[in-house]
């Protein structure tokens, strides 16, 4: 059945409505922002989700990724403050905060950020010495982040991080630094060894000092005790001499015999115990020694007889008579 003119018009209208709906409905994915232009002029920004625009009047201008993005900075040559040449590369992280400014304030956003970062790397690293450059990488990163972020602020961009990946000095400079480091470590080792030897000598000297002090104190104590012993011995000798003198003055001859016998016995003991004396041949008055011992016994009997009861003597005991074999007055038996 052929279609009438009205049916064709209805079908065309329905198709037109469908096309208008498809042209006016826009879906924005998460993490993106779309700018809307009306007759070439920016009007608004579409948020993630389902959005409606006026078909054939409004159109999508720029589709921008607002997630944090990474930008690799290629290797470039840098001359430091002390005229040392080195190469460095970096990586930058940025995020779009204002889609309209990022789309309409700068052309070719990534290229602009890249060139700006490379320029500031040369400026920051060129103002530092090589040693400072190699040891203060965090400082370089902070300065680069502050400078680049301030520069891209009007573009609606936030630079979150700028990191120096690698710094490569020339090979001859690396060799010189290695030799310097080795010499510094050897110097430090020698200093530590010298300090250790000095501390050891100090400790040994302190030990010798304490040992000498203790030894001197020991000798002083020994000398003090020796002097005290000699003093007591001298007092005893004086007391004994006084007692013997009093006994002699009282007419007791046995006391002098006791005194002489004591000294005689001590002299003979010293001669017998000498280290260089093996055999001693000498005449001695044995009868005088025995007589003195007899005098000592008599004194003891007198003392015990005066101060206590006398002990009974056995009937068969008697005092032996000892004669001196060298006495010329002794007759032959």
């Amino acid at each position: 059945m052929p279609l009438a003119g009205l049916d064709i018009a209805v079908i065309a209208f329905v198709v037109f409505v469908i096309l208008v709906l498809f042209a006016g409905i826009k879906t924005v994915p998460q993490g993106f922002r779309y700018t809307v232009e009306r007759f070439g002029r920016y009007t608004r920004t579409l948020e993630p989700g389902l959005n409606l625009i006026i078909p054939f009047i409004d159109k999508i201008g720029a589709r921008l990724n607002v997630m944090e993005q990474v930008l690799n900075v290629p290797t470039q040559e840098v001359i430091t403050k002390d005229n040392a040449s080195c190469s460095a590369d970096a990586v930058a992280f940025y995020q779009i905060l204002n889609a309209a400014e990022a789309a309409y304030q700068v052309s070719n956003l990534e290229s602009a950020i890249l060139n700006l970062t490379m320029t500031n790397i040369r400026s920051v690293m060129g103002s530092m010495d090589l040693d400072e450059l190699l040891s203060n990488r965090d400082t370089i990163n902070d300065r680069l982040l502050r400078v680049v972020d301030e520069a891209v602020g009007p573009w609606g961009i936030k630079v979150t991080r700028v990191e120096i990946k690698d710094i490569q000095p020339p090979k001859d400079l690396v060799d010189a630094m290695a030799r310097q480091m080795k010499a510094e470590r050897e110097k430090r080792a020698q200093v530590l060894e010298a300090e250790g030897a000095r501390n050891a000598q100090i400790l040994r000297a302190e030990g010798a000092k304490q040992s000498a002090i203790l030894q001197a104190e020991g000798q002083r104590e020994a000398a003090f005790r020796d002097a005290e012993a000699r003093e007591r011995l001298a007092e005893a000798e004086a007391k004994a001499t006084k007692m013997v003198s009093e006994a002699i003055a009282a007419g007791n001859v046995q006391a002098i015999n006791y005194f002489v016998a004591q000294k005689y016995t001590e002299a003979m003991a010293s001669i017998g115990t000498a280290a260089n004396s093996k055999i001693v041949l000498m005449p001695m008055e044995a009868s005088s020694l025995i007589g003195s011992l007899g005098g000592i016994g008599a004194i003891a009997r007198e003392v015990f007889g005066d101060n206590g009861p006398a002990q009974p003597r056995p009937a068969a005991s008697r005092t032996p008579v000892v004669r001196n074999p060298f006495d010329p007055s002794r007759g032959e038996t």
Side-chain angles (χ1 to χ4, degrees):
M1 178 179 177
L3 297 175
L6 182 61
D7 295 334
I8 294 173
V10 171
I11 292 173
F13 180 74
V14 171
V15 172
F16 177 75
V17 170
I18 293 174
L19 291 176
V20 168
L21 291 176
F22 273 103
I25 297 174
K26 298 298 180 181
T27 302
V28 180
Q30 184 68 36
F32 285 83
R33 299 289 187 275
Y34 292 175
T35 62
V36 178
E37 298 176 358
R38 179 174 297 173
F39 301 116
R41 182 178 180 180
Y42 167 79
T43 57
R44 62 193 177 97
T45 301
L46 300 181
E47 299 293 331
L50 189 64
N51 296 272
L52 296 176
I53 62 174
I54 300 174
F56 310 114
I57 297 176
D58 295 340
K59 69 174 184 178
I60 301 299
R63 294 175 171 83
L64 300 175
N65 184 353
V66 296
M67 295 181 290
E68 187 173 1
Q69 302 177 63
V70 59
L71 182 64
N72 288 316
V73 180
T75 303
Q76 57 182 331
E77 295 294 328
V78 178
I79 299 177
T80 61
K81 185 178 180 180
D82 53 354
N83 297 324
S85 177
C86 62
S87 59
D89 55 356
V91 59
F93 296 85
Y94 70 95
Q95 186 178 11
I96 298 176
L97 300 181
N98 192 320
E101 293 179 352
Y104 301 110
Q105 292 293 332
V106 62
S107 177
N108 197 351
L109 179 62
E110 287 191 359
S111 177
I113 298 175
L114 178 61
N115 285 278
L116 185 62
T117 304
M118 294 176 64
T119 303
N120 283 279
I121 286 176
R122 293 193 190 98
S123 300
V124 172
M125 297 179 64
S127 63
M128 304 172 68
D129 295 334
L130 181 61
D131 294 337
E132 186 180 2
L133 190 69
L134 296 175
S135 60
N136 295 326
R137 187 169 297 189
D138 293 337
T139 304
I140 299 173
N141 295 335
D142 293 339
R143 292 178 59 181
L144 282 174
L145 177 60
R146 184 174 63 255
V147 172
V148 175
D149 184 54
E150 183 179 355
V152 300
W155 303 341
I157 306 296
K158 173 65 178 177
V159 178
T160 57
R161 282 176 294 175
V162 178
E163 300 286 340
I164 299 296
K165 292 196 297 184
D166 191 16
I167 301 175
Q168 297 180 352
K171 188 176 183 306
D172 55 348
L173 190 58
V174 173
D175 295 339
M177 293 172 61
R179 291 193 300 270
Q180 179 183 2
M181 180 184 65
K182 182 178 179 181
E184 185 67 25
R185 291 184 179 274
E186 290 178 353
K187 174 184 175 182
R188 192 178 305 172
Q190 292 176 359
V191 170
L192 292 177
E193 184 178 357
E195 289 181 354
R198 184 189 66 179
N199 292 334
Q201 292 178 359
I202 291 174
L203 291 177
R204 284 195 294 267
E206 288 290 337
K209 175 183 176 181
Q210 293 296 329
S211 176
I213 291 174
L214 293 177
Q215 185 177 3
E217 290 180 354
Q219 292 177 354
R220 184 184 65 179
E221 185 68 20
F224 176 76
R225 294 184 180 275
D226 189 17
E228 186 177 1
R230 289 197 303 270
E231 182 181 358
R232 292 183 179 180
L233 181 61
E235 290 178 356
E237 288 287 342
K239 188 175 181 180
T241 304
K242 181 180 179 181
M243 293 176 64
V244 171
S245 300
E246 291 177 353
I248 294 173
N252 190 352
V253 182
Q254 299 296 334
I256 190 63
N257 292 333
Y258 165 76
F259 189 75
V260 173
Q262 181 184 5
K263 297 300 181 181
Y264 194 83
T265 304
E266 291 176 358
M268 294 302 297
S270 299
I271 294 174
T273 57
N276 57 353
S277 299
K278 302 302 180 181
I279 300 175
V280 179
L281 296 177
M282 59 178 295
M284 66 178 181
E285 294 292 336
S287 60
S288 300
L289 177 60
I290 298 301
S292 300
L293 294 176
I296 295 173
I299 294 174
R301 285 194 300 273
E302 291 178 1
V303 173
F304 291 139
D306 295 338
N307 296 333
Q311 298 294 331
R313 295 178 58 186
S317 64
R318 64 177 183 176
T319 303
V321 178
V322 180
R323 299 181 181 274
N324 187 0
F326 299 98
D327 190 2
S329 61
R330 183 176 63 90
E332 296 294 334
T333 305

